[in-house]
Amino acid sequence: MSSVPEAPAMIALVGNPNSGKTTLFNALTGSNQRVGNYSGVTVSVKSGETFTPHGKKVRVLDLPGCYSLRADSPDEQVAIDALTGMLPGEPKPDLVVCVVDSSNLERHLQLALQVLEQGLPCVLALNMVDVAEKSGLRLDPIKLSEELGIPVIPMQANAGKGIIELKQTLRFPLPFHPSAPWAHGPEDPGVARRSFIEQLCALAARRPDAHQQTISDRIDRVLLHPFFGWVFFLVVLFAVFWSIFSFASIPMGWIENAQGMLGEWLISKIPEGDLQSLLVDGILGGVGGVLVFLPQIVLLFLFIGILESSGYMARAAYLMDGVMAKAGLSGKAFLPLFSSYACAIPGVMATRTIHSPKERLVTIFVAPWMSCSARLPVYFLIIPLLLHESEGTWKQAAILFAIYALGTLTAFVTARILRGRLGEDAKPSHFLLELPPYRNLQWGYIFRHVFDRAWAFVSQAGTIILGLSILLWALSTYPKTSEGDAADKLAHSAMGRIGAVIEPVVQPLGFDGKMGTAILTSFAAREVFNSSIAILFRVEETDDEVQTRTALRDRLAEAKWPDGRPLFTPLSMISLLVFYIYALQCLPTTAVVAREANSWKWAGGQFVFMTGFAYLASLAVFQIGKLLGY
Amino acid sequence: MDIQWQTWAAVGIVVITAIIFVIRISKSKKTGGCGHDCGCGKKK
């Protein structure tokens, strides 16, 4: 008499990217891992627990999606390690659940056969049977089970269908798969597998109307059309970009108002002094300056979630692959770089979808050169100074466009050079992109994904910026003097003294010590430049931002060097603009880069390189301009 | 007196922040994967 079968202690979910492993993992374990209709969502091993029908606890591992067990990528190496018990801290799985997309059975079975060749007990989860049936495929799970010699469970994990049937398989004693008949012939294993799959699909996955186009095929005829595909793509991009700028401004206003009200409340409760200044100007100003970007981040990741979940993201990456290849990047780098126009922080975080580690690092490196919205207050201050009042606003718009174009072009050229210098990945990472069928949006997962990203931003960047805000406040406050106004106090502080010391350094760029101090204070966040320069040039800030900016502009136009020359010439202002296009003056970005690249060295190197580049570019503009007589 | 108390409190917060930063930088993570977020749990 056989003993009571023991439930497997651990099962591993294996499958191609976008086969629905994470959806199945969530359905089995009740967790809320992120799901996207886009390859490469699972970039690390996730672990959870489920129960057999007899109530025995089982651990479930969700392995990264992979196309084969050849160890061509870190993901595939992780999958191999997990299946062979080499994954640190994890035993060899007792059962492997091969998750396949039924509508792409021919390709997905390649991996399933390779898993079977490992000799592990295996169950085939025939996922997305609804999509397969809609595409006209006639599946025969019993025949598949007979031919493969393993249980085959038809299922629709996103609707919870087939989960109970899958759990039923956990209680049977699952014998080792005796042999893989296709692997014992004289043929090449790959050829043998393909031949076996062809025979298997002819028997168990027939397509009577093979030439009939699916709904996704029909949609793709438009969305991947050489002309209309690009039109739709640009409309989607514009809509995302415009929405981030316009819709986010409303909650951003709420955050600013809340910040203002909290500041006023603190001022009413704490008498004037250092602690009040630290709380209001340092902590509230610094942390509020970061939190104000939260709506943009939430909106961006909401759109990313929608585009991924619907299946359009893969099409966007496919369309952009050719363009990005000119910069040495793949189509997957497009969205992170595009997102960086709004804010480099979500852009850097969005690089997680890039598989190649080196391509990801390069994308992170150049992302801050896509002019973000925080630079706009500085541009809006300087650009009108360059032009006469009678000149049309279209010239201002043209300058703004040129600024964006210069940043983007430099980012692409640098990416190209850097990609060449870093060389290929240790394991080649081919841009293999699956175009999944279009699906209904899974709102629960999208919102969870947005919440996770937003929380990561607030908790990680927020804590670091809190500390840095306190330190920057101290540098701008101490040592103190009781004499003079705010400008004199700033000049007397450590920051002001550093500004005076660096005057010889910034003079070749066309700037004086005050400008140097303002630039220095804006290394925490670029927009600080405007308020610093207002203090340094003794302009009273009012509630009306436009009025303050106009008053500041008038004061700057009157500013002179000690010898009477105007301080702000067109050339010095272009030099200033060039500096702000290239300098990495955003501490939250540096903190997020350090976290995402898992390296403070990379973040530090990026900061030094970009600041050095900004200095040299600004120097070249000013000195060459002077030589040319401007 | 009140202002002096505020100065001491502010300086205390700044010093504690600086100490936390120094500790965090000196205790930089030695583990956490190969840096590629691949879940391998080891430095490559």
Side-chain angles (χ1 to χ4, degrees):
Chain A
M1 191 176 164
S2 64
S3 60
V4 177
E6 284 292 319
M10 187 175 84
I11 64 172
L13 304 183
V14 184
N16 283 25
N18 208 40
S19 59
K21 286 183 309 305
T22 305
T23 308
L24 178 58
F25 176 81
N26 289 342
L28 280 172
T29 62
S31 62
N32 282 303
Q33 294 297 340
R34 182 184 156 217
V35 177
N37 186 12
Y38 185 53
S39 300
V41 167
T42 307
V43 290
S44 57
V45 177
K46 310 262 175 17
S47 169
E49 286 176 348
T50 189
F51 292 90
T52 68
H54 289 155
K56 288 200 171 180
K57 197 183 275 184
V58 178
R59 282 193 65 224
V60 185
L61 283 189
D62 179 22
L63 303 182
C66 52
Y67 292 100
S68 73
L69 295 182
R70 285 195 306 266
D72 285 343
S73 70
D75 291 347
E76 289 177 2
Q77 186 60 56
V78 171
I80 294 168
D81 287 352
L83 293 178
T84 53
M86 301 293 285
L87 201 66
E90 300 291 357
K92 199 172 174 177
D94 299 281
L95 175 72
V96 178
V97 176
C98 277
V99 189
V100 295
D101 173 358
S102 309
S103 60
N104 272 318
L105 208 52
E106 291 90 341
R107 194 167 65 249
H108 285 228
L109 276 174
Q110 287 275 353
L111 176 68
L113 295 194
Q114 289 179 52
V115 174
L116 286 173
E117 288 165 21
Q118 303 286 317
L120 286 164
C122 197
V123 172
L124 191 73
L126 211 54
N127 198 18
M128 305 182 204
V129 283
D130 56 323
V131 179
E133 281 165 9
K134 275 184 195 161
S135 73
L137 202 64
R138 299 284 176 267
L139 293 166
D140 187 344
I142 297 169
K143 195 75 190 165
L144 267 176
S145 176
E146 284 173 5
E147 294 296 320
L148 290 168
I150 56 169
V152 174
I153 312 295
M155 61 192 319
Q156 191 188 336
N158 63 355
K161 292 178 184 170
I163 304 296
I164 293 170
E165 290 79 355
L166 180 66
K167 283 190 172 182
Q168 293 287 337
T169 65
L170 304 183
R171 64 178 175 174
F172 295 113
L174 292 155
F176 281 118
H177 186 250
S179 65
W182 61 87
H184 299 307
E187 288 173 297
D188 170 75
V191 176
R193 273 183 222 123
R194 275 196 295 277
S195 167
F196 183 77
I197 289 168
E198 260 179 42
Q199 293 169 25
L200 195 61
C201 289
L203 284 169
R206 285 171 294 115
R207 203 183 284 274
D209 44 4
H211 301 294
Q212 187 188 325
Q213 284 197 326
T214 63
I215 293 171
S216 287
D217 291 335
R218 284 200 288 272
I219 296 171
D220 276 342
R221 279 181 64 186
V222 179
L223 299 193
L224 295 181
H225 187 273
F227 176 73
F228 296 112
W230 278 100
V231 171
F232 183 80
F233 173 67
L234 292 173
V235 167
V236 168
L237 285 193
F238 179 78
V240 170
F241 206 21
W242 179 79
S243 304
I244 290 170
F245 268 115
S246 54
F247 294 146
S249 64
I250 300 164
M252 284 169 97
W254 295 339
I255 294 173
E256 281 170 339
N257 285 343
Q259 191 187 337
M261 282 162 63
L262 186 58
E264 282 169 19
W265 182 79
L266 284 170
I267 289 168
S268 71
K269 295 289 171 195
I270 305 170
E272 199 177 333
D274 283 5
L275 187 63
Q276 186 212 64
S277 174
L278 171 63
L279 292 175
V280 177
D281 304 327
I283 295 176
L284 195 59
V287 175
V290 174
L291 282 181
V292 80
F293 295 113
L294 187 62
Q296 288 187 333
I297 284 161
V298 166
L299 269 179
L300 180 75
F301 281 103
L302 178 69
F303 286 120
I304 289 178
I306 291 171
L307 293 176
E308 281 183 354
S309 184
S310 66
Y312 185 71
M313 187 69 90
R315 272 82 182 173
Y318 169 79
L319 281 172
M320 278 304 292
D321 188 47
V323 178
M324 299 307 292
K326 290 184 171 55
L329 304 171
S330 76
K332 286 188 175 180
F334 163 71
L335 197 92
L337 291 181
F338 177 75
S339 309
S340 301
Y341 280 126
C343 176
I345 292 165
V348 168
M349 284 157 76
T351 59
R352 288 183 175 204
T353 53
I354 299 172
H355 263 192
S356 155
K358 286 182 180 172
E359 184 187 339
R360 184 170 175 238
L361 281 178
V362 171
T363 310
I364 288 173
F365 194 86
V366 299
W369 271 348
M370 317 302 279
S371 269
C372 70
S373 56
R375 287 175 169 103
L376 285 173
V378 181
Y379 296 157
F380 287 150
L381 175 73
I382 303 296
I383 291 172
L385 282 169
L386 275 169
L387 301 166
H388 193 266
E389 276 177 18
S390 60
E391 289 177 291
T393 51
W394 69 270
K395 283 192 180 174
Q396 294 190 22
I399 293 172
L400 194 62
F401 178 79
I403 286 169
Y404 273 83
L406 189 61
T408 307
L409 194 67
T410 317
F412 275 48
V413 171
T414 307
R416 174 97 204 169
I417 295 166
L418 204 55
R419 194 77 182 89
R421 288 195 66 83
L422 281 179
E424 293 300 317
D425 291 306
K427 299 273 176 65
S429 171
H430 303 291
F431 181 54
L432 184 64
L433 186 71
E434 188 168 323
L435 294 182
Y438 292 101
R439 291 183 207 145
N440 290 331
L441 301 179
Q442 296 183 49
W443 286 108
Y445 295 123
I446 292 172
F447 286 132
R448 179 79 193 177
H449 164 49
V450 170
F451 176 79
D452 286 348
R453 294 285 89 202
W455 182 246
F457 170 73
V458 172
S459 60
Q460 298 283 339
T463 48
I464 292 167
I465 198 70
L466 170 68
L468 291 170
S469 300
I470 291 170
L471 297 181
L472 270 175
W473 172 86
L475 284 174
S476 313
T477 308
Y478 300 116
K480 291 181 74 178
T481 175
S482 53
E483 293 164 13
D485 57 10
D488 295 321
K489 284 175 181 168
L490 183 59
H492 191 264
S493 71
M495 190 71 83
R497 291 172 194 209
I498 294 168
V501 169
I502 65 162
E503 181 161 315
V505 180
V506 295
Q507 242 178 7
L509 315 184
F511 314 145
D512 70 347
K514 286 181 189 170
M515 297 262 289
T517 307
I519 290 171
L520 215 55
T521 57
S522 67
F523 269 96
R526 295 174 179 93
E527 55 273 41
V528 174
F529 177 82
N530 285 23
S531 53
S532 294
I533 214 158
I535 294 170
L536 289 162
F537 284 85
R538 294 180 169 82
V539 175
E540 283 291 318
E541 282 201 67
T542 65
D543 289 340
D544 187 342
E545 200 185 324
V546 178
Q547 197 184 334
T548 307
R549 209 182 290 154
T550 310
L552 177 57
R553 223 176 276 139
D554 293 343
R555 188 61 64 88
L556 294 183
E558 293 162 8
K560 300 221 177 336
W561 287 97
D563 61 6
R565 286 180 295 125
L567 181 61
F568 288 90
T569 62
L571 188 60
S572 69
M573 283 181 281
I574 291 172
S575 169
L576 186 63
L577 282 177
V578 167
F579 188 86
Y580 272 85
I581 291 170
Y582 292 127
L584 179 49
Q585 297 162 295
C586 182
L587 284 175
T589 300
T590 301
V592 170
V593 166
R595 182 164 61 90
E596 293 296 314
N598 200 16
S599 161
W600 274 100
K601 276 185 197 162
W602 190 258
Q606 181 189 39
F607 174 80
V608 170
F609 172 77
M610 288 195 166
T611 307
F613 190 95
Y615 183 87
L616 292 176
S618 189
L619 179 74
V621 165
F622 189 74
Q623 294 302 328
I624 292 170
K626 249 176 53 172
L627 283 175
L628 294 173
Y630 288 103
Chain B
M1 186 67 188
D2 191 35
I3 290 170
Q4 201 176 10
W5 172 84
Q6 283 204 34
T7 303
W8 282 114
V11 170
I13 292 170
V14 171
V15 170
I16 290 167
T17 308
I19 290 169
I20 291 170
F21 262 83
V22 170
I23 291 171
R24 281 187 68 148
I25 291 166
S26 61
K27 278 190 176 177
S28 58
K29 277 195 289 183
K30 301 292 179 199
T31 56
C34 62
H36 303 152
D37 204 9
C38 69
C40 66
K42 60 189 173 190
K43 288 265 180 200
K44 285 191 175 172

